Amino acid sequence: MAEGKRRRFAWLRPPQAGPGGTMSLGDHLRELRYRLIVSVVAIIVVSLLAAIWYDQLYQVMLRPYLLAVQMLAESNPNLDPTTVITGVATPLILAMKVCVVAGLVLSSPVWVYQIWAFIVPALLAKEKKYALGFLGAAVPLFLLGVLIGYYIMPQGISVLLAFTPSSVPVTNLVDVEDFLTLTLQLMVVFGLGFLIPVLVVGLNLVGVLKADQLRKVRTYVIFGIFVFGAAATPSTDPFSMLALAIPMTLLYLIAEVICRVHDRRKAKAELVVAGT
């Protein structure tokens, strides 16, 4: 009977890796399904909890716009930006978007760990300490990226609205849905962008990437980062693009240095073992 229960709820557990961490294609797909289910459930649960404080979250998300209006009032007093909500279902859609992004951010420890566990399903005993280190670095960096995306939003809004002709008084009707969607997208993009260097270091620690490989593609990666910054940021102002690309470049260079130090230590350890 106990065996039957274990089989019935087997889908609640990830498949076990074989000797040396090998898995069949079917096991990899089942593990991917397991990791996705855990991540989605965590996001949904936290999103439902965030709905309790929706009014407070809405005020927090609208704060960049209010700051941008203050900045514009000083530089261009002829502008008259006004927020509007269009559509009957828009308030409900806004609430869902805000709560889902709040759930995505607050549940980041769960789904970030699921990403790591899927990439490295067969950690050796001495390598399991890397999982805790990865989680301890990835989650703060993701949250840091989210905060940076949030705090640069007023500058981006003021830059975009400043293109309004100032020769005559103009009323800018800013759709709240478009603004909040832009803000939420920017926060998520910044958070995910800050995760990439941590993934690079994690793959190096388990032997998938080498520091020499990172050095050879450094120029192309940096170029790709700036292209990614220009394409991924929802707003069209260069300030947002640079605010994403420059920190990502610095984080990539730091990740390369960490990988190089790790590879040198690993090479020395292998020489010592070979010498004995």
PDB file of all heavy atoms in Angstrom, residues 79-97:
ATOM      1  N   LEU A  79       4.042  71.559 -19.803  1.00  0.00           N
ATOM      2  CA  LEU A  79       3.477  70.228 -19.953  1.00  0.00           C
ATOM      3  C   LEU A  79       2.434  69.966 -18.861  1.00  0.00           C
ATOM      4  O   LEU A  79       2.590  70.402 -17.727  1.00  0.00           O
ATOM      5  CB  LEU A  79       4.575  69.165 -19.875  1.00  0.00           C
ATOM      6  CG  LEU A  79       5.524  69.060 -21.070  1.00  0.00           C
ATOM      7  CD1 LEU A  79       6.515  67.933 -20.859  1.00  0.00           C
ATOM      8  CD2 LEU A  79       4.752  68.832 -22.357  1.00  0.00           C
ATOM      9  N   ASP A  80       1.401  69.230 -19.239  1.00  0.00           N
ATOM     10  CA  ASP A  80       0.335  68.903 -18.289  1.00  0.00           C
ATOM     11  C   ASP A  80      -0.007  67.417 -18.423  1.00  0.00           C
ATOM     12  O   ASP A  80      -1.033  67.048 -19.012  1.00  0.00           O
ATOM     13  CB  ASP A  80      -0.896  69.769 -18.572  1.00  0.00           C
ATOM     14  CG  ASP A  80      -2.000  69.512 -17.554  1.00  0.00           C
ATOM     15  OD1 ASP A  80      -1.698  69.012 -16.455  1.00  0.00           O
ATOM     16  OD2 ASP A  80      -3.172  69.789 -17.876  1.00  0.00           O
ATOM     17  N   PRO A  81       0.837  66.535 -17.870  1.00  0.00           N
ATOM     18  CA  PRO A  81       0.553  65.098 -17.963  1.00  0.00           C
ATOM     19  C   PRO A  81      -0.569  64.687 -17.014  1.00  0.00           C
ATOM     20  O   PRO A  81      -0.628  65.115 -15.865  1.00  0.00           O
ATOM     21  CB  PRO A  81       1.881  64.449 -17.559  1.00  0.00           C
ATOM     22  CG  PRO A  81       2.564  65.468 -16.717  1.00  0.00           C
ATOM     23  CD  PRO A  81       2.124  66.810 -17.211  1.00  0.00           C
ATOM     24  N   THR A  82      -1.478  63.876 -17.522  1.00  0.00           N
ATOM     25  CA  THR A  82      -2.616  63.401 -16.745  1.00  0.00           C
ATOM     26  C   THR A  82      -2.784  61.905 -16.964  1.00  0.00           C
ATOM     27  O   THR A  82      -2.740  61.428 -18.107  1.00  0.00           O
ATOM     28  CB  THR A  82      -3.905  64.121 -17.169  1.00  0.00           C
ATOM     29  OG1 THR A  82      -3.726  65.531 -17.016  1.00  0.00           O
ATOM     30  CG2 THR A  82      -5.085  63.676 -16.317  1.00  0.00           C
ATOM     31  N   THR A  83      -2.972  61.160 -15.890  1.00  0.00           N
ATOM     32  CA  THR A  83      -3.173  59.726 -16.013  1.00  0.00           C
ATOM     33  C   THR A  83      -4.646  59.417 -16.264  1.00  0.00           C
ATOM     34  O   THR A  83      -5.540  60.052 -15.697  1.00  0.00           O
ATOM     35  CB  THR A  83      -2.734  58.993 -14.731  1.00  0.00           C
ATOM     36  OG1 THR A  83      -3.431  59.549 -13.613  1.00  0.00           O
ATOM     37  CG2 THR A  83      -1.243  59.149 -14.511  1.00  0.00           C
ATOM     38  N   VAL A  84      -4.864  58.425 -17.133  1.00  0.00           N
ATOM     39  CA  VAL A  84      -6.228  58.001 -17.447  1.00  0.00           C
ATOM     40  C   VAL A  84      -6.269  56.479 -17.486  1.00  0.00           C
ATOM     41  O   VAL A  84      -5.261  55.814 -17.700  1.00  0.00           O
ATOM     42  CB  VAL A  84      -6.711  58.565 -18.804  1.00  0.00           C
ATOM     43  CG1 VAL A  84      -6.801  60.077 -18.766  1.00  0.00           C
ATOM     44  CG2 VAL A  84      -5.795  58.108 -19.933  1.00  0.00           C
ATOM     45  N   ILE A  85      -7.455  55.936 -17.261  1.00  0.00           N
ATOM     46  CA  ILE A  85      -7.702  54.504 -17.400  1.00  0.00           C
ATOM     47  C   ILE A  85      -8.802  54.333 -18.432  1.00  0.00           C
ATOM     48  O   ILE A  85      -9.899  54.878 -18.282  1.00  0.00           O
ATOM     49  CB  ILE A  85      -8.118  53.862 -16.063  1.00  0.00           C
ATOM     50  CG1 ILE A  85      -6.979  53.935 -15.059  1.00  0.00           C
ATOM     51  CG2 ILE A  85      -8.533  52.411 -16.269  1.00  0.00           C
ATOM     52  CD1 ILE A  85      -7.311  53.328 -13.702  1.00  0.00           C
ATOM     53  N   THR A  86      -8.519  53.596 -19.492  1.00  0.00           N
ATOM     54  CA  THR A  86      -9.493  53.380 -20.558  1.00  0.00           C
ATOM     55  C   THR A  86      -9.929  51.923 -20.561  1.00  0.00           C
ATOM     56  O   THR A  86      -9.118  51.021 -20.371  1.00  0.00           O
ATOM     57  CB  THR A  86      -8.877  53.729 -21.925  1.00  0.00           C
ATOM     58  OG1 THR A  86      -7.721  52.913 -22.148  1.00  0.00           O
ATOM     59  CG2 THR A  86      -8.457  55.188 -21.977  1.00  0.00           C
ATOM     60  N   GLY A  87     -11.202  51.696 -20.777  1.00  0.00           N
ATOM     61  CA  GLY A  87     -11.712  50.333 -20.847  1.00  0.00           C
ATOM     62  C   GLY A  87     -12.341  49.881 -19.541  1.00  0.00           C
ATOM     63  O   GLY A  87     -11.881  50.239 -18.450  1.00  0.00           O
ATOM     64  N   VAL A  88     -13.385  49.069 -19.664  1.00  0.00           N
ATOM     65  CA  VAL A  88     -14.095  48.591 -18.482  1.00  0.00           C
ATOM     66  C   VAL A  88     -13.278  47.551 -17.730  1.00  0.00           C
ATOM     67  O   VAL A  88     -13.241  47.543 -16.494  1.00  0.00           O
ATOM     68  CB  VAL A  88     -15.453  47.990 -18.906  1.00  0.00           C
ATOM     69  CG1 VAL A  88     -16.182  47.401 -17.702  1.00  0.00           C
ATOM     70  CG2 VAL A  88     -16.323  49.045 -19.588  1.00  0.00           C
ATOM     71  N   ALA A  89     -12.600  46.670 -18.456  1.00  0.00           N
ATOM     72  CA  ALA A  89     -11.858  45.581 -17.820  1.00  0.00           C
ATOM     73  C   ALA A  89     -10.437  45.976 -17.429  1.00  0.00           C
ATOM     74  O   ALA A  89      -9.730  45.165 -16.827  1.00  0.00           O
ATOM     75  CB  ALA A  89     -11.812  44.373 -18.759  1.00  0.00           C
ATOM     76  N   THR A  90     -10.017  47.184 -17.763  1.00  0.00           N
ATOM     77  CA  THR A  90      -8.634  47.584 -17.504  1.00  0.00           C
ATOM     78  C   THR A  90      -8.249  47.527 -16.023  1.00  0.00           C
ATOM     79  O   THR A  90      -7.159  47.058 -15.700  1.00  0.00           O
ATOM     80  CB  THR A  90      -8.388  48.999 -18.059  1.00  0.00           C
ATOM     81  OG1 THR A  90      -8.650  48.999 -19.470  1.00  0.00           O
ATOM     82  CG2 THR A  90      -6.945  49.426 -17.827  1.00  0.00           C
ATOM     83  N   PRO A  91      -9.081  47.996 -15.085  1.00  0.00           N
ATOM     84  CA  PRO A  91      -8.689  47.896 -13.671  1.00  0.00           C
ATOM     85  C   PRO A  91      -8.395  46.466 -13.223  1.00  0.00           C
ATOM     86  O   PRO A  91      -7.451  46.225 -12.469  1.00  0.00           O
ATOM     87  CB  PRO A  91      -9.901  48.480 -12.934  1.00  0.00           C
ATOM     88  CG  PRO A  91     -10.518  49.415 -13.916  1.00  0.00           C
ATOM     89  CD  PRO A  91     -10.335  48.752 -15.245  1.00  0.00           C
ATOM     90  N   LEU A  92      -9.203  45.497 -13.699  1.00  0.00           N
ATOM     91  CA  LEU A  92      -8.943  44.097 -13.353  1.00  0.00           C
ATOM     92  C   LEU A  92      -7.643  43.606 -13.967  1.00  0.00           C
ATOM     93  O   LEU A  92      -6.854  42.910 -13.307  1.00  0.00           O
ATOM     94  CB  LEU A  92     -10.111  43.225 -13.825  1.00  0.00           C
ATOM     95  CG  LEU A  92      -9.945  41.704 -13.637  1.00  0.00           C
ATOM     96  CD1 LEU A  92      -9.786  41.369 -12.160  1.00  0.00           C
ATOM     97  CD2 LEU A  92     -11.116  40.951 -14.257  1.00  0.00           C
ATOM     98  N   ILE A  93      -7.388  43.985 -15.221  1.00  0.00           N
ATOM     99  CA  ILE A  93      -6.147  43.569 -15.886  1.00  0.00           C
ATOM    100  C   ILE A  93      -4.938  44.161 -15.168  1.00  0.00           C
ATOM    101  O   ILE A  93      -3.910  43.498 -14.977  1.00  0.00           O
ATOM    102  CB  ILE A  93      -6.178  43.989 -17.368  1.00  0.00           C
ATOM    103  CG1 ILE A  93      -7.289  43.234 -18.098  1.00  0.00           C
ATOM    104  CG2 ILE A  93      -4.835  43.720 -18.034  1.00  0.00           C
ATOM    105  CD1 ILE A  93      -7.502  43.688 -19.524  1.00  0.00           C
ATOM    106  N   LEU A  94      -5.060  45.434 -14.754  1.00  0.00           N
ATOM    107  CA  LEU A  94      -3.983  46.071 -14.018  1.00  0.00           C
ATOM    108  C   LEU A  94      -3.695  45.331 -12.715  1.00  0.00           C
ATOM    109  O   LEU A  94      -2.539  45.082 -12.367  1.00  0.00           O
ATOM    110  CB  LEU A  94      -4.337  47.531 -13.716  1.00  0.00           C
ATOM    111  CG  LEU A  94      -4.240  48.523 -14.867  1.00  0.00           C
ATOM    112  CD1 LEU A  94      -4.726  49.893 -14.412  1.00  0.00           C
ATOM    113  CD2 LEU A  94      -2.822  48.621 -15.364  1.00  0.00           C
ATOM    114  N   ALA A  95      -4.746  44.986 -12.001  1.00  0.00           N
ATOM    115  CA  ALA A  95      -4.573  44.282 -10.731  1.00  0.00           C
ATOM    116  C   ALA A  95      -3.871  42.942 -10.948  1.00  0.00           C
ATOM    117  O   ALA A  95      -2.974  42.558 -10.182  1.00  0.00           O
ATOM    118  CB  ALA A  95      -5.923  44.073 -10.059  1.00  0.00           C
ATOM    119  N   MET A  96      -4.250  42.219 -11.991  1.00  0.00           N
ATOM    120  CA  MET A  96      -3.634  40.923 -12.274  1.00  0.00           C
ATOM    121  C   MET A  96      -2.165  41.085 -12.626  1.00  0.00           C
ATOM    122  O   MET A  96      -1.311  40.320 -12.151  1.00  0.00           O
ATOM    123  CB  MET A  96      -4.390  40.229 -13.409  1.00  0.00           C
ATOM    124  CG  MET A  96      -5.810  39.828 -13.054  1.00  0.00           C
ATOM    125  SD  MET A  96      -6.727  39.132 -14.450  1.00  0.00           S
ATOM    126  CE  MET A  96      -5.736  37.699 -14.814  1.00  0.00           C
ATOM    127  N   LYS A  97      -1.836  42.094 -13.441  1.00  0.00           N
ATOM    128  CA  LYS A  97      -0.445  42.303 -13.832  1.00  0.00           C
ATOM    129  C   LYS A  97       0.423  42.639 -12.623  1.00  0.00           C
ATOM    130  O   LYS A  97       1.512  42.082 -12.445  1.00  0.00           O
ATOM    131  CB  LYS A  97      -0.358  43.428 -14.867  1.00  0.00           C
ATOM    132  CG  LYS A  97      -0.850  43.058 -16.254  1.00  0.00           C
ATOM    133  CD  LYS A  97      -0.682  44.220 -17.211  1.00  0.00           C
ATOM    134  CE  LYS A  97      -1.131  43.840 -18.614  1.00  0.00           C
ATOM    135  NZ  LYS A  97      -0.990  44.972 -19.577  1.00  0.00           N
TER     136      LYS A  97
END
